[in-house]
Amino acid sequence: MDPITHASLGAVVGGLVLGSRLGRKAVLLGAAVALLPDLDTFIAYGDELSDFIYHRGVTHSVLFHLVFATAIAALLARLPRTREIGFGRWWLFLFLVLATHAVNDLLTTYGTQILWPLPVGPLSTGSIFVIDPFYTLPLLVAAIGALFYRFAPRLLVAGLVLSTLYAGSGLALKAWIDHRIQPVLTAMELDEQPRLVQPTPFNLLLWRITVINDDEFLEAWVGIFDTPIRPDFERFERGDRELREAVLALEDGQRLQGFSGDFLRFHRAERPDEPDRLVATDIRLGAPGYFPFGFELAQEIDGEWQSVTPRRVAESTRGERLDAIQAIVRRIVDPEGAPCMMDLAEPDYAIEQPPPRCRMDWPSSAAPSADAERP
């Protein structure tokens, strides 16, 4: 999650654990300690793919939190100015602030390697978007209130309870949406295919459904107030088998699949006066035409793919992604009048025939031509 959320949660937890001894200082100290795990962002792992994969690794694991909390608590218990608080209270403060940082990240789609060094990869519930002001606001208000109004444990408890209830709502809504779309998936014989159910940015009202189906992936938005709850799937090319096998034959491709699972798209990027590049894109974050994490993994030389140092490529700019946010708001407010996903960024890998049902639901005056030529 974002630094403001991590710092706010750390401030609240720190104030509750050490506030009786340190007062407002506990709030500030909790906020500072909560940001420590994300210092791995400044570690250069060798290339942009490694930076992407290994963030939220060692510093987010329970083992690291146990070792760090024990070592620092033992040191603070010996220093004259901090020894009165005692080893136990310092250890509890440090461990809880660090562990709740990892729990925050566990709620997001990319998750965190909380069980490192066990070979289980990142764990995730995918029930809250990486930035959600409705989750952060109760924590932030509680932390600011404790710092600048008066230090009141009840205010900190209220902020923590409200944010926890919101997080719990995300888990419950994800399970409910997944249950409600199951009949549609079964009818389409997709119920056994890999799928991802996750909230769209900044809310829990609209959810994004992604289903992998061999050389295609299917996308739909489902709102909790939709009547009926029905995913109107749109189809997109995932990349043919030859490209997929070429990526997975590369060491970097295998590393990326180990992190992203089946939620990858493969394509050939053509460049004038340069060799074609083989690109693999993580499709878990964003939307078609807006995926931010693609990586060039190889170049074609004499008909053969040869590895290159991975380089990140994104499908859109920040300004273009704002258009997608506006479309999400429109989809929440007016489901029948909102555009299809494929009509936002117009990705050239959209499969338009047959037209998706979301396009058929458009008012006739707003619907684009089914055979409109794409750039």
Side-chain angles (χ1 to χ4, degrees), residues 47-55 109-110 113 120-122 238 243-244 246-267 278-285 291-298 308-313:
D47 57 70
E48 293 181 331
L49 175 61
S50 297
D51 294 342
F52 174 66
I53 291 175
Y54 297 132
H55 175 51
T109 297
Y110 284 161
Q113 299 180 51
V120 295
R238 184 170 171 242
L243 289 177
R244 195 183 329 165
V247 167
L248 298 182
L250 303 170
E251 180 181 348
D252 289 330
Q254 295 169 15
R255 289 197 299 141
L256 181 56
Q257 187 190 45
F259 181 75
S260 305
D262 294 310
F263 296 93
L264 289 171
R265 179 179 174 268
F266 314 92
H267 75 279
L278 182 60
V279 179
T281 300
D282 188 312
I283 62 173
R284 291 176 296 170
L285 188 67
F291 296 127
F293 292 109
F295 296 91
E296 293 181 347
L297 301 179
V308 297
T309 300
R311 186 177 74 89
R312 179 184 167 188
V313 290

Short mmCIF file of all heavy atoms in Angstrom, two decimals, residues 47-55 109-110 113 120-122 238 243-244 246-267 278-285 291-298 308-313:
data_model
loop_
_atom_site.label_atom_id
_atom_site.label_comp_id
_atom_site.label_asym_id
_atom_site.label_seq_id
_atom_site.Cartn_x
_atom_site.Cartn_y
_atom_site.Cartn_z
N ASP A 47 18.15 -5.31 -12.10
CA ASP A 47 17.40 -4.90 -13.29
C ASP A 47 15.97 -4.59 -12.88
O ASP A 47 15.56 -4.87 -11.74
CB ASP A 47 17.44 -5.99 -14.39
CG ASP A 47 16.89 -7.32 -13.90
OD1 ASP A 47 15.67 -7.42 -13.68
OD2 ASP A 47 17.69 -8.27 -13.73
N GLU A 48 15.20 -4.03 -13.80
CA GLU A 48 13.86 -3.56 -13.46
C GLU A 48 12.90 -4.71 -13.15
O GLU A 48 11.97 -4.54 -12.36
CB GLU A 48 13.32 -2.69 -14.59
CG GLU A 48 14.10 -1.38 -14.74
CD GLU A 48 13.55 -0.51 -15.85
OE1 GLU A 48 12.98 -1.05 -16.82
OE2 GLU A 48 13.68 0.73 -15.74
N LEU A 49 13.10 -5.86 -13.77
CA LEU A 49 12.25 -7.02 -13.44
C LEU A 49 12.52 -7.51 -12.02
O LEU A 49 11.58 -7.79 -11.27
CB LEU A 49 12.50 -8.14 -14.45
CG LEU A 49 11.77 -9.46 -14.16
CD1 LEU A 49 10.26 -9.26 -14.18
CD2 LEU A 49 12.18 -10.53 -15.17
N SER A 50 13.79 -7.58 -11.64
CA SER A 50 14.13 -8.02 -10.29
C SER A 50 13.60 -7.04 -9.25
O SER A 50 13.10 -7.45 -8.19
CB SER A 50 15.64 -8.17 -10.15
OG SER A 50 16.14 -9.16 -11.03
N ASP A 51 13.69 -5.74 -9.55
CA ASP A 51 13.14 -4.74 -8.62
C ASP A 51 11.64 -4.96 -8.43
O ASP A 51 11.11 -4.81 -7.33
CB ASP A 51 13.39 -3.32 -9.16
CG ASP A 51 14.86 -2.96 -9.19
OD1 ASP A 51 15.66 -3.65 -8.50
OD2 ASP A 51 15.22 -2.01 -9.90
N PHE A 52 10.96 -5.31 -9.51
CA PHE A 52 9.52 -5.54 -9.47
C PHE A 52 9.18 -6.79 -8.65
O PHE A 52 8.25 -6.78 -7.83
CB PHE A 52 9.01 -5.68 -10.91
CG PHE A 52 7.56 -6.07 -11.04
CD1 PHE A 52 6.55 -5.23 -10.61
CD2 PHE A 52 7.21 -7.29 -11.61
CE1 PHE A 52 5.22 -5.58 -10.75
CE2 PHE A 52 5.88 -7.64 -11.76
CZ PHE A 52 4.88 -6.79 -11.34
N ILE A 53 9.94 -7.84 -8.84
CA ILE A 53 9.63 -9.13 -8.21
C ILE A 53 10.02 -9.16 -6.74
O ILE A 53 9.27 -9.67 -5.89
CB ILE A 53 10.35 -10.27 -8.97
CG1 ILE A 53 9.74 -10.45 -10.35
CG2 ILE A 53 10.29 -11.57 -8.17
CD1 ILE A 53 10.47 -11.46 -11.21
N TYR A 54 11.18 -8.59 -6.40
CA TYR A 54 11.72 -8.78 -5.06
C TYR A 54 11.29 -7.72 -4.05
O TYR A 54 11.59 -7.85 -2.86
CB TYR A 54 13.24 -8.86 -5.12
CG TYR A 54 13.73 -10.04 -5.93
CD1 TYR A 54 14.71 -9.90 -6.90
CD2 TYR A 54 13.17 -11.30 -5.73
CE1 TYR A 54 15.14 -10.98 -7.65
CE2 TYR A 54 13.60 -12.39 -6.48
CZ TYR A 54 14.58 -12.22 -7.43
OH TYR A 54 15.00 -13.30 -8.17
N HIS A 55 10.60 -6.66 -4.51
CA HIS A 55 10.00 -5.73 -3.54
C HIS A 55 8.96 -6.48 -2.72
O HIS A 55 8.31 -7.39 -3.22
CB HIS A 55 9.37 -4.54 -4.25
CG HIS A 55 8.64 -3.61 -3.33
ND1 HIS A 55 9.21 -3.10 -2.19
CD2 HIS A 55 7.37 -3.12 -3.37
CE1 HIS A 55 8.33 -2.32 -1.57
NE2 HIS A 55 7.20 -2.32 -2.26
N THR A 109 -3.51 -6.83 -4.31
CA THR A 109 -3.44 -7.86 -5.35
C THR A 109 -2.07 -8.51 -5.44
O THR A 109 -1.95 -9.72 -5.62
CB THR A 109 -3.83 -7.25 -6.71
OG1 THR A 109 -5.18 -6.81 -6.65
CG2 THR A 109 -3.69 -8.27 -7.83
N TYR A 110 -1.00 -7.71 -5.34
CA TYR A 110 0.35 -8.28 -5.45
C TYR A 110 0.80 -8.98 -4.18
O TYR A 110 1.72 -9.79 -4.20
CB TYR A 110 1.36 -7.19 -5.82
CG TYR A 110 1.30 -6.78 -7.27
CD1 TYR A 110 1.83 -5.58 -7.70
CD2 TYR A 110 0.71 -7.60 -8.22
CE1 TYR A 110 1.78 -5.19 -9.03
CE2 TYR A 110 0.64 -7.23 -9.55
CZ TYR A 110 1.18 -6.03 -9.95
OH TYR A 110 1.12 -5.66 -11.26
N GLN A 113 5.60 -11.28 0.48
CA GLN A 113 6.26 -12.55 0.78
C GLN A 113 6.43 -12.68 2.30
O GLN A 113 7.54 -12.75 2.82
CB GLN A 113 7.59 -12.62 0.06
CG GLN A 113 7.44 -12.55 -1.46
CD GLN A 113 8.75 -12.62 -2.20
OE1 GLN A 113 9.56 -13.53 -1.97
NE2 GLN A 113 8.98 -11.69 -3.12
N VAL A 120 7.07 -20.21 -1.01
CA VAL A 120 5.63 -20.15 -1.30
C VAL A 120 5.26 -18.91 -2.11
O VAL A 120 4.12 -18.78 -2.55
CB VAL A 120 4.81 -20.18 0.01
CG1 VAL A 120 4.99 -21.50 0.71
CG2 VAL A 120 5.18 -19.02 0.92
N GLY A 121 6.19 -17.99 -2.29
CA GLY A 121 5.91 -16.79 -3.07
C GLY A 121 5.03 -15.82 -2.30
O GLY A 121 4.70 -16.02 -1.13
N PRO A 122 4.60 -14.74 -2.97
CA PRO A 122 3.76 -13.74 -2.31
C PRO A 122 2.38 -14.31 -1.97
O PRO A 122 1.79 -15.05 -2.75
CB PRO A 122 3.64 -12.62 -3.36
CG PRO A 122 4.74 -12.87 -4.33
CD PRO A 122 4.96 -14.35 -4.34
N ARG A 238 -4.31 -12.95 -25.40
CA ARG A 238 -3.27 -13.09 -24.39
C ARG A 238 -1.90 -13.34 -25.01
O ARG A 238 -0.87 -13.14 -24.36
CB ARG A 238 -3.65 -14.25 -23.46
CG ARG A 238 -2.72 -14.47 -22.29
CD ARG A 238 -3.29 -15.46 -21.31
NE ARG A 238 -2.31 -15.83 -20.30
CZ ARG A 238 -1.84 -17.05 -20.12
NH1 ARG A 238 -2.28 -18.04 -20.87
NH2 ARG A 238 -0.94 -17.30 -19.19
N LEU A 243 4.66 -17.55 -28.61
CA LEU A 243 5.23 -16.47 -27.81
C LEU A 243 5.30 -16.86 -26.34
O LEU A 243 6.28 -16.55 -25.65
CB LEU A 243 4.39 -15.20 -27.97
CG LEU A 243 4.46 -14.49 -29.32
CD1 LEU A 243 3.53 -13.29 -29.33
CD2 LEU A 243 5.89 -14.05 -29.62
N ARG A 244 4.26 -17.53 -25.86
CA ARG A 244 4.25 -17.95 -24.46
C ARG A 244 5.40 -18.91 -24.17
O ARG A 244 6.10 -18.78 -23.16
CB ARG A 244 2.91 -18.62 -24.15
CG ARG A 244 2.61 -18.78 -22.67
CD ARG A 244 1.30 -19.52 -22.44
NE ARG A 244 0.33 -19.29 -23.50
CZ ARG A 244 -0.75 -20.04 -23.65
NH1 ARG A 244 -0.97 -21.07 -22.85
NH2 ARG A 244 -1.60 -19.78 -24.62
N ALA A 246 8.15 -19.12 -25.81
CA ALA A 246 9.42 -18.39 -25.92
C ALA A 246 9.74 -17.66 -24.62
O ALA A 246 10.89 -17.64 -24.16
CB ALA A 246 9.36 -17.41 -27.09
N VAL A 247 8.72 -17.04 -24.01
CA VAL A 247 8.92 -16.34 -22.74
C VAL A 247 9.32 -17.31 -21.64
O VAL A 247 10.27 -17.09 -20.89
CB VAL A 247 7.66 -15.56 -22.34
CG1 VAL A 247 7.76 -15.08 -20.88
CG2 VAL A 247 7.45 -14.36 -23.25
N LEU A 248 8.59 -18.42 -21.55
CA LEU A 248 8.82 -19.36 -20.46
C LEU A 248 10.11 -20.17 -20.65
O LEU A 248 10.55 -20.85 -19.72
CB LEU A 248 7.62 -20.30 -20.32
CG LEU A 248 6.30 -19.59 -19.97
CD1 LEU A 248 5.18 -20.60 -19.80
CD2 LEU A 248 6.46 -18.75 -18.71
N ALA A 249 10.70 -20.09 -21.83
CA ALA A 249 12.01 -20.72 -22.04
C ALA A 249 13.14 -19.87 -21.48
O ALA A 249 14.26 -20.35 -21.32
CB ALA A 249 12.22 -20.98 -23.53
N LEU A 250 12.83 -18.61 -21.19
CA LEU A 250 13.83 -17.69 -20.64
C LEU A 250 13.84 -17.75 -19.12
O LEU A 250 12.79 -17.90 -18.49
CB LEU A 250 13.53 -16.26 -21.08
CG LEU A 250 13.46 -15.99 -22.59
CD1 LEU A 250 12.91 -14.59 -22.83
CD2 LEU A 250 14.84 -16.15 -23.23
N GLU A 251 14.99 -17.59 -18.52
CA GLU A 251 15.07 -17.57 -17.06
C GLU A 251 14.26 -16.41 -16.48
O GLU A 251 13.54 -16.58 -15.49
CB GLU A 251 16.53 -17.46 -16.62
CG GLU A 251 16.71 -17.44 -15.10
CD GLU A 251 18.15 -17.30 -14.68
OE1 GLU A 251 19.05 -17.45 -15.55
OE2 GLU A 251 18.40 -17.05 -13.48
N ASP A 252 14.36 -15.25 -17.12
CA ASP A 252 13.59 -14.11 -16.65
C ASP A 252 12.09 -14.34 -16.81
O ASP A 252 11.29 -13.90 -15.98
CB ASP A 252 14.00 -12.83 -17.39
CG ASP A 252 15.38 -12.34 -16.99
OD1 ASP A 252 15.78 -12.58 -15.83
OD2 ASP A 252 16.07 -11.73 -17.83
N GLY A 253 11.69 -15.01 -17.88
CA GLY A 253 10.29 -15.34 -18.07
C GLY A 253 9.77 -16.27 -16.99
O GLY A 253 8.64 -16.12 -16.51
N GLN A 254 10.59 -17.22 -16.59
CA GLN A 254 10.19 -18.15 -15.53
C GLN A 254 10.08 -17.43 -14.19
O GLN A 254 9.18 -17.70 -13.39
CB GLN A 254 11.20 -19.28 -15.44
CG GLN A 254 11.24 -20.16 -16.68
CD GLN A 254 12.42 -21.11 -16.70
OE1 GLN A 254 13.09 -21.33 -15.68
NE2 GLN A 254 12.71 -21.69 -17.87
N ARG A 255 10.98 -16.47 -13.95
CA ARG A 255 10.90 -15.70 -12.71
C ARG A 255 9.63 -14.86 -12.67
O ARG A 255 8.97 -14.77 -11.63
CB ARG A 255 12.12 -14.79 -12.58
CG ARG A 255 13.42 -15.51 -12.28
CD ARG A 255 14.47 -14.55 -11.77
NE ARG A 255 14.79 -13.51 -12.74
CZ ARG A 255 15.02 -12.24 -12.44
NH1 ARG A 255 14.89 -11.83 -11.18
NH2 ARG A 255 15.33 -11.36 -13.38
N LEU A 256 9.30 -14.26 -13.81
CA LEU A 256 8.10 -13.43 -13.87
C LEU A 256 6.84 -14.29 -13.68
O LEU A 256 5.92 -13.89 -12.96
CB LEU A 256 8.03 -12.68 -15.19
CG LEU A 256 6.84 -11.74 -15.38
CD1 LEU A 256 6.77 -10.71 -14.26
CD2 LEU A 256 6.91 -11.04 -16.73
N GLN A 257 6.81 -15.46 -14.29
CA GLN A 257 5.64 -16.32 -14.11
C GLN A 257 5.54 -16.80 -12.66
O GLN A 257 4.44 -16.93 -12.12
CB GLN A 257 5.71 -17.53 -15.04
CG GLN A 257 4.42 -18.35 -14.99
CD GLN A 257 4.52 -19.67 -15.71
OE1 GLN A 257 5.50 -20.40 -15.57
NE2 GLN A 257 3.49 -20.00 -16.47
N GLY A 258 6.69 -17.03 -12.01
CA GLY A 258 6.65 -17.43 -10.62
C GLY A 258 6.04 -16.36 -9.72
O GLY A 258 5.44 -16.67 -8.68
N PHE A 259 6.17 -15.09 -10.13
CA PHE A 259 5.60 -13.99 -9.36
C PHE A 259 4.17 -13.69 -9.76
O PHE A 259 3.31 -13.45 -8.92
CB PHE A 259 6.47 -12.74 -9.56
CG PHE A 259 6.00 -11.54 -8.80
CD1 PHE A 259 6.20 -11.43 -7.44
CD2 PHE A 259 5.35 -10.49 -9.46
CE1 PHE A 259 5.76 -10.32 -6.73
CE2 PHE A 259 4.92 -9.38 -8.77
CZ PHE A 259 5.11 -9.29 -7.39
N SER A 260 3.89 -13.73 -11.07
CA SER A 260 2.58 -13.30 -11.58
C SER A 260 1.62 -14.45 -11.84
O SER A 260 0.43 -14.21 -12.08
CB SER A 260 2.76 -12.51 -12.89
OG SER A 260 3.65 -11.43 -12.71
N GLY A 261 2.12 -15.68 -11.81
CA GLY A 261 1.27 -16.83 -12.09
C GLY A 261 0.83 -16.84 -13.55
O GLY A 261 1.59 -16.49 -14.46
N ASP A 262 -0.42 -17.22 -13.78
CA ASP A 262 -0.94 -17.29 -15.14
C ASP A 262 -1.38 -15.94 -15.69
O ASP A 262 -1.76 -15.85 -16.87
CB ASP A 262 -2.14 -18.25 -15.18
CG ASP A 262 -1.74 -19.69 -14.89
OD1 ASP A 262 -0.78 -20.17 -15.52
OD2 ASP A 262 -2.38 -20.33 -14.04
N PHE A 263 -1.33 -14.90 -14.88
CA PHE A 263 -1.88 -13.61 -15.27
C PHE A 263 -0.84 -12.78 -16.02
O PHE A 263 -0.42 -11.71 -15.58
CB PHE A 263 -2.44 -12.88 -14.06
CG PHE A 263 -3.60 -13.62 -13.44
CD1 PHE A 263 -3.39 -14.52 -12.41
CD2 PHE A 263 -4.88 -13.46 -13.94
CE1 PHE A 263 -4.44 -15.24 -11.86
CE2 PHE A 263 -5.94 -14.17 -13.40
CZ PHE A 263 -5.72 -15.06 -12.36
N LEU A 264 -0.46 -13.31 -17.19
CA LEU A 264 0.52 -12.67 -18.04
C LEU A 264 -0.01 -12.60 -19.47
O LEU A 264 -0.75 -13.48 -19.92
CB LEU A 264 1.84 -13.45 -18.05
CG LEU A 264 2.68 -13.42 -16.77
CD1 LEU A 264 3.83 -14.41 -16.88
CD2 LEU A 264 3.22 -12.01 -16.51
N ARG A 265 0.38 -11.55 -20.16
CA ARG A 265 0.10 -11.41 -21.58
C ARG A 265 1.43 -11.34 -22.31
O ARG A 265 2.40 -10.76 -21.82
CB ARG A 265 -0.73 -10.14 -21.85
CG ARG A 265 -1.01 -9.93 -23.32
CD ARG A 265 -1.86 -8.70 -23.62
NE ARG A 265 -1.94 -8.55 -25.06
CZ ARG A 265 -1.11 -7.83 -25.79
NH1 ARG A 265 -0.15 -7.13 -25.20
NH2 ARG A 265 -1.23 -7.77 -27.10
N PHE A 266 1.49 -11.94 -23.52
CA PHE A 266 2.73 -12.03 -24.27
C PHE A 266 2.53 -11.40 -25.65
O PHE A 266 1.53 -11.67 -26.33
CB PHE A 266 3.14 -13.49 -24.45
CG PHE A 266 3.04 -14.30 -23.18
CD1 PHE A 266 1.88 -15.00 -22.89
CD2 PHE A 266 4.08 -14.34 -22.28
CE1 PHE A 266 1.77 -15.75 -21.72
CE2 PHE A 266 3.99 -15.08 -21.11
CZ PHE A 266 2.83 -15.78 -20.83
N HIS A 267 3.48 -10.56 -26.08
CA HIS A 267 3.36 -10.01 -27.42
C HIS A 267 4.72 -9.62 -27.97
O HIS A 267 5.70 -9.48 -27.23
CB HIS A 267 2.40 -8.82 -27.45
CG HIS A 267 2.96 -7.55 -26.88
ND1 HIS A 267 3.01 -7.30 -25.52
CD2 HIS A 267 3.50 -6.45 -27.49
CE1 HIS A 267 3.54 -6.11 -25.32
NE2 HIS A 267 3.85 -5.57 -26.49
N LEU A 278 10.48 -9.18 -27.33
CA LEU A 278 9.50 -10.08 -26.73
C LEU A 278 9.10 -9.50 -25.38
O LEU A 278 9.95 -9.30 -24.51
CB LEU A 278 10.10 -11.47 -26.55
CG LEU A 278 9.19 -12.57 -25.97
CD1 LEU A 278 7.97 -12.79 -26.85
CD2 LEU A 278 9.98 -13.87 -25.82
N VAL A 279 7.80 -9.21 -25.22
CA VAL A 279 7.32 -8.51 -24.03
C VAL A 279 6.33 -9.39 -23.28
O VAL A 279 5.42 -9.98 -23.88
CB VAL A 279 6.64 -7.17 -24.41
CG1 VAL A 279 6.12 -6.46 -23.16
CG2 VAL A 279 7.62 -6.28 -25.16
N ALA A 280 6.50 -9.47 -21.98
CA ALA A 280 5.54 -10.14 -21.09
C ALA A 280 4.98 -9.10 -20.13
O ALA A 280 5.75 -8.33 -19.53
CB ALA A 280 6.20 -11.28 -20.33
N THR A 281 3.66 -9.07 -19.99
CA THR A 281 2.99 -8.04 -19.20
C THR A 281 2.17 -8.68 -18.10
O THR A 281 1.36 -9.58 -18.35
CB THR A 281 2.07 -7.19 -20.09
OG1 THR A 281 2.85 -6.56 -21.11
CG2 THR A 281 1.36 -6.11 -19.28
N ASP A 282 2.36 -8.20 -16.88
CA ASP A 282 1.53 -8.61 -15.75
C ASP A 282 0.18 -7.91 -15.88
O ASP A 282 0.12 -6.67 -15.88
CB ASP A 282 2.21 -8.23 -14.43
CG ASP A 282 1.51 -8.80 -13.20
OD1 ASP A 282 0.28 -8.66 -13.11
OD2 ASP A 282 2.19 -9.36 -12.33
N ILE A 283 -0.92 -8.67 -15.97
CA ILE A 283 -2.23 -8.07 -16.22
C ILE A 283 -3.07 -7.97 -14.93
O ILE A 283 -4.28 -7.72 -15.00
CB ILE A 283 -3.02 -8.85 -17.29
CG1 ILE A 283 -3.30 -10.28 -16.82
CG2 ILE A 283 -2.25 -8.85 -18.60
CD1 ILE A 283 -4.22 -11.05 -17.77
N ARG A 284 -2.44 -8.13 -13.78
CA ARG A 284 -3.22 -8.08 -12.54
C ARG A 284 -3.56 -6.65 -12.12
O ARG A 284 -4.61 -6.42 -11.53
CB ARG A 284 -2.45 -8.78 -11.41
CG ARG A 284 -2.33 -10.28 -11.59
CD ARG A 284 -1.49 -10.91 -10.49
NE ARG A 284 -0.11 -10.43 -10.53
CZ ARG A 284 0.78 -10.67 -9.59
NH1 ARG A 284 0.44 -11.37 -8.50
NH2 ARG A 284 2.02 -10.23 -9.70
N LEU A 285 -2.69 -5.70 -12.40
CA LEU A 285 -2.94 -4.31 -12.02
C LEU A 285 -3.25 -3.50 -13.26
O LEU A 285 -2.54 -3.60 -14.26
CB LEU A 285 -1.72 -3.73 -11.30
CG LEU A 285 -1.91 -2.34 -10.68
CD1 LEU A 285 -2.90 -2.40 -9.53
CD2 LEU A 285 -0.57 -1.78 -10.18
N PHE A 291 -2.16 -1.44 -18.60
CA PHE A 291 -1.32 -2.26 -17.73
C PHE A 291 0.05 -1.57 -17.54
O PHE A 291 0.74 -1.28 -18.51
CB PHE A 291 -1.13 -3.65 -18.32
CG PHE A 291 -2.40 -4.45 -18.42
CD1 PHE A 291 -2.78 -5.03 -19.63
CD2 PHE A 291 -3.22 -4.61 -17.32
CE1 PHE A 291 -3.95 -5.76 -19.72
CE2 PHE A 291 -4.40 -5.33 -17.41
CZ PHE A 291 -4.77 -5.91 -18.61
N PRO A 292 0.47 -1.35 -16.28
CA PRO A 292 1.69 -0.57 -16.06
C PRO A 292 2.97 -1.40 -16.00
O PRO A 292 4.06 -0.83 -16.04
CB PRO A 292 1.43 0.08 -14.69
CG PRO A 292 0.55 -0.90 -13.98
CD PRO A 292 -0.30 -1.53 -15.05
N PHE A 293 2.84 -2.74 -15.89
CA PHE A 293 4.05 -3.54 -15.66
C PHE A 293 4.24 -4.58 -16.76
O PHE A 293 3.86 -5.75 -16.62
CB PHE A 293 3.99 -4.22 -14.28
CG PHE A 293 4.07 -3.25 -13.14
CD1 PHE A 293 2.96 -2.99 -12.35
CD2 PHE A 293 5.25 -2.59 -12.85
CE1 PHE A 293 3.01 -2.10 -11.29
CE2 PHE A 293 5.33 -1.69 -11.79
CZ PHE A 293 4.21 -1.44 -11.02
N GLY A 294 4.81 -4.12 -17.87
CA GLY A 294 5.27 -5.02 -18.91
C GLY A 294 6.78 -4.99 -18.96
O GLY A 294 7.42 -3.99 -18.56
N PHE A 295 7.40 -6.07 -19.44
CA PHE A 295 8.86 -6.15 -19.45
C PHE A 295 9.36 -6.74 -20.76
O PHE A 295 8.92 -7.82 -21.18
CB PHE A 295 9.36 -7.01 -18.28
CG PHE A 295 9.04 -6.42 -16.93
CD1 PHE A 295 7.85 -6.75 -16.28
CD2 PHE A 295 9.89 -5.50 -16.32
CE1 PHE A 295 7.54 -6.20 -15.05
CE2 PHE A 295 9.57 -4.95 -15.10
CZ PHE A 295 8.39 -5.30 -14.46
N GLU A 296 10.28 -6.01 -21.40
CA GLU A 296 10.99 -6.56 -22.55
C GLU A 296 12.01 -7.57 -22.04
O GLU A 296 12.87 -7.24 -21.22
CB GLU A 296 11.69 -5.45 -23.33
CG GLU A 296 10.75 -4.47 -24.00
CD GLU A 296 11.50 -3.41 -24.79
OE1 GLU A 296 12.75 -3.30 -24.60
OE2 GLU A 296 10.87 -2.69 -25.57
N LEU A 297 11.90 -8.82 -22.53
CA LEU A 297 12.75 -9.89 -22.01
C LEU A 297 13.74 -10.42 -23.04
O LEU A 297 14.74 -11.04 -22.66
CB LEU A 297 11.87 -11.05 -21.51
CG LEU A 297 10.86 -10.72 -20.40
CD1 LEU A 297 10.07 -11.97 -20.03
CD2 LEU A 297 11.56 -10.15 -19.18
N ALA A 298 13.46 -10.23 -24.32
CA ALA A 298 14.34 -10.78 -25.36
C ALA A 298 14.20 -9.97 -26.64
O ALA A 298 13.23 -9.22 -26.82
CB ALA A 298 14.01 -12.25 -25.62
N VAL A 308 17.69 -10.26 -23.17
CA VAL A 308 18.25 -8.93 -22.95
C VAL A 308 18.01 -8.57 -21.49
O VAL A 308 17.25 -9.23 -20.78
CB VAL A 308 17.57 -7.88 -23.86
CG1 VAL A 308 17.84 -8.18 -25.33
CG2 VAL A 308 16.07 -7.80 -23.59
N THR A 309 18.70 -7.54 -21.02
CA THR A 309 18.44 -7.05 -19.67
C THR A 309 17.00 -6.55 -19.60
O THR A 309 16.62 -5.68 -20.39
CB THR A 309 19.40 -5.91 -19.30
OG1 THR A 309 20.74 -6.38 -19.38
CG2 THR A 309 19.13 -5.41 -17.89
N PRO A 310 16.19 -7.11 -18.72
CA PRO A 310 14.76 -6.73 -18.69
C PRO A 310 14.57 -5.23 -18.51
O PRO A 310 15.24 -4.60 -17.68
CB PRO A 310 14.22 -7.51 -17.49
CG PRO A 310 15.14 -8.67 -17.34
CD PRO A 310 16.49 -8.15 -17.72
N ARG A 311 13.65 -4.69 -19.30
CA ARG A 311 13.34 -3.27 -19.23
C ARG A 311 11.83 -3.10 -19.13
O ARG A 311 11.08 -3.70 -19.89
CB ARG A 311 13.87 -2.52 -20.46
CG ARG A 311 13.71 -1.02 -20.39
CD ARG A 311 14.32 -0.36 -21.62
NE ARG A 311 13.50 -0.55 -22.80
CZ ARG A 311 12.51 0.28 -23.17
NH1 ARG A 311 12.26 1.37 -22.42
NH2 ARG A 311 11.80 0.07 -24.25
N ARG A 312 11.39 -2.27 -18.19
CA ARG A 312 9.96 -2.09 -17.99
C ARG A 312 9.36 -1.21 -19.08
O ARG A 312 9.94 -0.20 -19.47
CB ARG A 312 9.70 -1.46 -16.62
CG ARG A 312 8.22 -1.21 -16.34
CD ARG A 312 8.02 -0.48 -15.02
NE ARG A 312 6.66 0.02 -14.91
CZ ARG A 312 6.23 0.83 -13.94
NH1 ARG A 312 7.07 1.22 -13.00
NH2 ARG A 312 4.98 1.24 -13.92
N VAL A 313 8.19 -1.61 -19.57
CA VAL A 313 7.43 -0.81 -20.52
C VAL A 313 5.98 -0.77 -20.03
O VAL A 313 5.44 -1.77 -19.58
CB VAL A 313 7.50 -1.38 -21.95
CG1 VAL A 313 8.88 -1.20 -22.53
CG2 VAL A 313 7.10 -2.85 -21.98
#
